[in-house]
Amino acid sequence: MPPVTDTQVTDPAPSRSRRSRFAGAALLGPAFVAAIAYVDPGNVAANVTAGARYGFLLVWVLVVACAMAVVIQYQSAKLGIVTGKTFPGLLGERLPRRRRLAFWVQAEVVAAATDIAEVVGGAIALQLLFDLPLVVGGLIVGVISLALLGFQSRQRQRAFESVIAALLLVIVVGFLAGLVVGPPSAGDVLGGLVPRLQGTDTVLLAASMLGATVMPHAIYLHSSLVIDRHGVARDDARRRRLVRATRWDVVCALMIAGAVNIALLLLAAQNLQGRDGTDTIEGAQRAVGDAMGPVMAIVFAVGLLASGLASTSVGCYAGASIMAGLLKVRVPVWIRRLVTLVPALIVLGSGVDPTWALVISQVVLSFGIPFAIIPLGRLTRDPSVMGSFADSGALRLAATAIAAVVVLLNVALIVLTVTGLG
């Protein structure tokens, strides 16, 4: 019998390692759906405005916001994996009936504000690309998002994730292409990582950027996404495996979303600073065309359209999860789509400036953030809920600090915006 060589002895281990890596990669996906909330049209408006007005000054805000989002989305996903229940469902079990109804109302208002922003953003993109009236564009966005929601079910969850991931790729290309054509200097980017502000307006912008990044509906949704994708884990070994995979899923997805947001700010800082009319998405797109050519303007508008389509589909999914968890009422997502489309069409048909509507929607979202973050932290640190998977001391400290910062900045956003409107 021939001797066994070293190669023959060690071959099975790499094979098992490769299989393990492929199996781990197959568990990724839910966070990429949640990440769509972080690249919606509201983010586009806030980041382009910040870059056009103040150059690279507020790059650090987006880096901090991305780090915060990673922690919060990981908590929501871990809660769903460990308990086998959604975040809204756990809240529904613990809240008395009247408080549960009140909580549902504020969560639905937040979801409606999100949907308005996303339909408005998609309608703006269609107007930029095809010169369509805003109301017609809003109807088209609603119809397409309804078709996308046809992929959403537990049996077709991977198909839905694939469609959303494809749209995320379009968003990435649409908003990063400009940096390839006109990249900023490394010194300017590094300078923007130094935390500093310049006056009240930069405080307002920083607060709106953070408030737009930490999205309540994405926090409610992520626990549902992991359950719909992976089912209910029946033993601790599988829970540990899913929690590990989710950690990577969240980090990878939100790093991509964070890169898109930073790219938008850098694009505006490099090409739009000092130009007139860049305080609206339409003006920013025209300025991109003037500075970088008509192709880049079209690519920017396509990225905005993909952002609106993907985020409004995810927002509708989140609203269905919120209602099912808090009220134990399941409404087909296509009915929700039709109902939530109405307020957006009213805004588009009212003659209100669409970029202003996006800004106001972010203020409404700010009211809902504490209602999501604080209960989430209390649940994930509770051993009676999470068992051995309860948050570690370091994670509890980070989550508490994040909740305090986000709440304070969103209070500042609301106060400064109301003062400015007054």
Side-chain angles (χ1 to χ4, degrees), residues 143-410:
V143 171
I144 295 176
S145 65
L146 189 61
L148 293 177
L149 286 167
F151 290 96
Q152 196 282 308
S153 68
R154 289 198 177 187
Q155 294 74 30
R156 306 176 70 183
Q157 187 68 10
R158 292 196 182 191
F160 182 69
E161 289 174 7
S162 297
V163 172
I164 296 299
L167 288 171
L168 180 59
L169 179 61
V170 174
I171 295 168
V172 171
V173 172
F175 294 145
L176 267 65
L179 291 184
V180 177
V181 175
S185 72
D188 287 335
V189 177
L190 291 174
L193 296 176
V194 179
R196 64 199 191 280
L197 296 167
Q198 291 179 0
T200 302
D201 190 48
T202 60
V203 176
L204 176 61
L205 271 174
S208 67
M209 290 159 70
L210 278 169
T213 299
V214 182
M215 302 291 277
H217 72 288
I219 300 170
Y220 294 122
L221 176 62
H222 208 150
S223 57
S224 300
L225 290 170
V226 293
I227 293 171
D228 287 347
R229 171 63 182 278
H230 304 303
V232 177
R234 302 295 181 183
D235 59 86
D236 280 354
R238 176 163 172 76
R239 291 188 187 105
R240 288 191 192 92
R241 183 172 177 234
L242 290 175
V243 167
R244 282 196 300 269
T246 291
R247 196 176 298 127
W248 284 105
D249 194 26
V250 170
V251 169
C252 293
L254 291 185
M255 282 184 66
I256 292 172
V260 170
N261 282 309
I262 292 171
L264 283 165
L265 189 150
L266 296 181
L267 177 69
Q270 179 73 7
N271 299 285
L272 309 183
Q273 191 175 6
R275 291 177 177 267
D276 294 332
T278 54
D279 55 347
T280 67
I281 291 178
E282 303 96 313
Q285 195 252 4
R286 284 194 299 271
V288 168
D290 293 340
M292 309 180 73
V295 173
M296 284 298 101
I298 292 173
V299 170
F300 179 90
V302 169
L304 179 64
L305 178 59
S307 169
L309 291 173
S311 55
T312 193
S313 301
V314 172
C316 195
Y317 186 173
S321 175
I322 291 167
M323 178 177 280
L326 287 169
L327 300 187
K328 309 301 179 188
V329 175
R330 293 192 177 275
V331 176
V333 289
W334 66 270
I335 294 179
R336 286 193 61 88
R337 168 71 286 168
L338 295 176
V339 171
T340 57
L341 185 61
V342 172
L345 294 177
I346 291 173
V347 169
L348 290 170
S350 65
V352 171
D353 177 68
T355 301
W356 185 83
L358 288 176
V359 173
I360 295 302
S361 73
Q362 302 308 304
V363 177
V364 175
L365 284 173
S366 301
F367 284 100
I369 291 175
F371 293 98
I373 292 179
I374 295 172
L376 176 65
R378 293 181 64 180
L379 286 169
T380 57
R381 72 180 57 187
D382 187 349
S384 68
V385 176
M386 302 294 289
S388 61
F389 294 91
D391 290 345
S392 65
L395 185 55
R396 288 199 302 270
L397 182 62
T400 300
I402 288 169
V405 169
V406 170
V407 170
L408 287 174
L409 281 173
N410 279 280

Side-chain angles (χ1 to χ4, degrees), residues 25-44:
L27 298 176
L28 305 181
F32 287 83
V33 176
I36 288 294
Y38 294 88
V39 288
D40 74 354
N43 293 87
V44 176

